[in-house]
Amino acid sequence: MAEAAYLQMSRDLRISTCTITCISGLLSVMSGLAILWAYRQVPQSRNYTRYLLVCLTVADIFTAFGNFISTFRFFGMEQSRPNNDAYCTAQSFITTTSSLSSFFWTTAIAIYLYYAVVLRINIAEKRSAQVLMTVIPILIPVTITGIALGYGVLGEDVSSGSGPWCWIRNDVNNQVMWKLVTGKAWEGMTYIITVVIYVLLKFFKWRKNRRSCRQFRWSNSHRCLQDSDNIFEISWLFLLLARIWGTMRFIFELAQIRLDPSVFNAFLYLQCIGDSSQAFWNFLFFYTFDPDMRQLVCPPRCCVRGGYTSVTVPKEICLEAL
């Protein structure tokens, strides 16, 4: 059935999905590199929260790059029986591992913030804790994907459960089980954990604001935090908005729900955009709401009589002039 769907896929749909994925992946790779550059260029903004964001960004870059290079293979194939070549298997290994790492890093950010804000404990103070928080989001995904590779389940799924990239082969036994183990189960667990922690953080801040009758500041909660770190409490939302479309397609496929072709194609387009775009959205999110990043991209300029100066000056001087 999946192969028949592949053979019936129109050339226009193949071109459009490849084009969307290519553009989304390229933008995400460039945005991820910009986040890494900003982390290096603004040392005053560095803390463990930003370090975890950098780790998440590296994983998202690999996902976007894997999806990007997959479009060349997908578009270049003839409209005939798809095959499981080494290129497809390698791409599936890269994107499956990086996607799993992205789920783990998103969860790690939420857990770290909960400990620092609510429990007032910096779990990254100990070197052993730092090593564990760095190794676990890498080791577990590599182990899971390595097992899948050993069983020979990575490969061409003829776009039944993904966009124009390889994931789990369509001709293997227990395909649904492998898709859960190599992605969807961990993705759902990430949503549950991060949303629960988000609600707990919101309740904690509401209680603090009510008791003190003033705005709660994250920097007062623990010295390891900055006030601008509050933007990271909704980092899970960007993961959800980016990847929910592929998850919904997976649910429709699992429940054997037949969608109208236009609706099916719309979900496929949204998945092609979302699955490769998380680093891009994190870039916009990071630069828009982080004051240090905004100052790096758009330095404050002094307002004087007769117009604006073309010389960048320190923010304190601008404030005094006003």
Side-chain angles (χ1 to χ4, degrees):
M1 181 183 299
E3 183 177 331
Y6 175 87
L7 296 176
Q8 295 173 3
M9 183 179 291
S10 67
R11 179 175 175 81
D12 290 341
L13 182 60
R14 289 165 58 84
I15 294 175
S16 58
T17 54
C18 287
T19 302
I20 292 173
T21 303
C22 188
I23 295 174
S24 178
L26 184 60
L27 284 175
S28 200
V29 170
M30 296 174 61
S31 300
L33 294 176
I35 292 177
L36 302 183
W37 173 79
Y39 181 79
R40 177 181 176 84
Q41 292 296 117
V42 188
Q44 66 271 21
S45 69
R46 298 177 193 168
N47 59 6
Y48 203 73
T49 312
R50 264 68 173 189
Y51 169 76
L52 294 176
L53 174 66
V54 167
C55 295
L56 172 63
T57 300
V58 172
D60 292 336
I61 289 175
F62 274 99
T63 301
F65 178 74
N67 292 342
F68 172 76
I69 62 175
S70 70
T71 59
F72 298 99
R73 172 188 175 275
F74 187 78
F75 181 71
M77 289 190 304
E78 297 292 336
Q79 295 253 2
S80 58
R81 183 187 300 273
N83 55 8
N84 289 285
D85 50 34
Y87 187 97
C88 176
T89 303
Q91 176 264 297
S92 176
F93 183 88
I94 293 173
T95 53
T96 303
T97 303
S98 59
S99 296
L100 288 171
S101 292
S102 180
F103 302 150
F104 277 87
W105 288 121
T106 303
T107 305
I109 291 174
I111 293 174
Y112 176 77
L113 291 178
Y114 177 80
Y115 269 86
V117 175
V118 179
L119 304 180
R120 303 175 68 91
I121 299 174
N122 182 9
I123 58 178
E125 284 184 341
K126 295 183 178 180
R127 184 64 177 175
S128 58
Q130 292 184 17
V131 172
L132 287 176
M133 292 186 68
T134 303
V135 171
I136 289 177
I138 299 175
L139 183 61
I140 294 180
V142 170
T143 301
I144 294 173
T145 314
I147 293 174
L149 179 65
Y151 277 91
V153 301
L154 300 181
E156 178 64 68
D157 67 350
V158 294
S159 194
S160 63
S162 68
W165 52 83
C166 300
W167 184 22
I168 301 298
R169 293 175 55 173
N170 67 296
D171 57 350
V172 299
N173 296 326
N174 300 321
Q175 185 190 39
V176 173
M177 182 272 291
W178 281 110
K179 287 184 177 182
L180 290 171
V181 171
T182 60
K184 295 306 176 183
W186 298 101
E187 181 180 346
M189 190 182 304
T190 298
Y191 295 150
I192 294 173
I193 294 175
T194 53
V195 170
V196 168
I197 290 178
Y198 171 75
V199 173
L200 292 176
L201 286 173
K202 282 296 184 182
F203 176 75
F204 176 80
K205 290 193 296 183
W206 171 81
R207 189 176 60 181
K208 281 287 186 180
N209 290 335
R210 187 174 181 180
R211 287 180 177 179
S212 61
C213 296
R214 62 180 181 180
Q215 188 67 27
F216 173 77
R217 297 174 64 89
W218 283 44
S219 57
N220 293 336
S221 180
H222 200 284
R223 65 181 184 277
C224 68
L225 296 175
Q226 302 175 15
D227 289 334
S228 57
D229 285 343
N230 63 347
I231 62 177
F232 292 99
E233 67 180 358
I234 60 171
S235 59
W236 59 271
L237 181 60
F238 292 91
L239 176 67
L240 175 65
L241 294 177
R243 302 194 65 100
I244 190 63
W245 315 108
T247 301
M248 292 179 68
R249 287 187 66 228
F250 172 75
I251 294 174
F252 293 150
E253 180 189 6
L254 187 63
Q256 297 182 349
I257 298 176
R258 293 183 176 273
L259 300 174
D260 182 84
S262 60
V263 177
F264 176 85
N265 293 344
F267 273 99
L268 178 59
Y269 293 148
L270 289 171
Q271 182 185 4
C272 291
I273 295 173
D275 279 15
S276 304
S277 64
Q278 191 180 352
F280 172 71
W281 294 115
N282 283 341
F283 167 78
L284 294 181
F285 171 68
F286 187 57
Y287 272 84
T288 302
F289 294 100
D290 191 297
D292 293 326
M293 296 300 102
R294 287 203 307 269
Q295 185 172 346
L296 173 65
V297 176
C298 185
R301 298 176 181 274
C302 238
C303 178
V304 295
R305 292 182 181 178
Y308 293 89
T309 65
S310 60
V311 180
T312 301
V313 297
K315 180 167 54 178
E316 293 79 5
I317 299 178
C318 288
L319 293 176
E320 291 177 2
L322 294 174

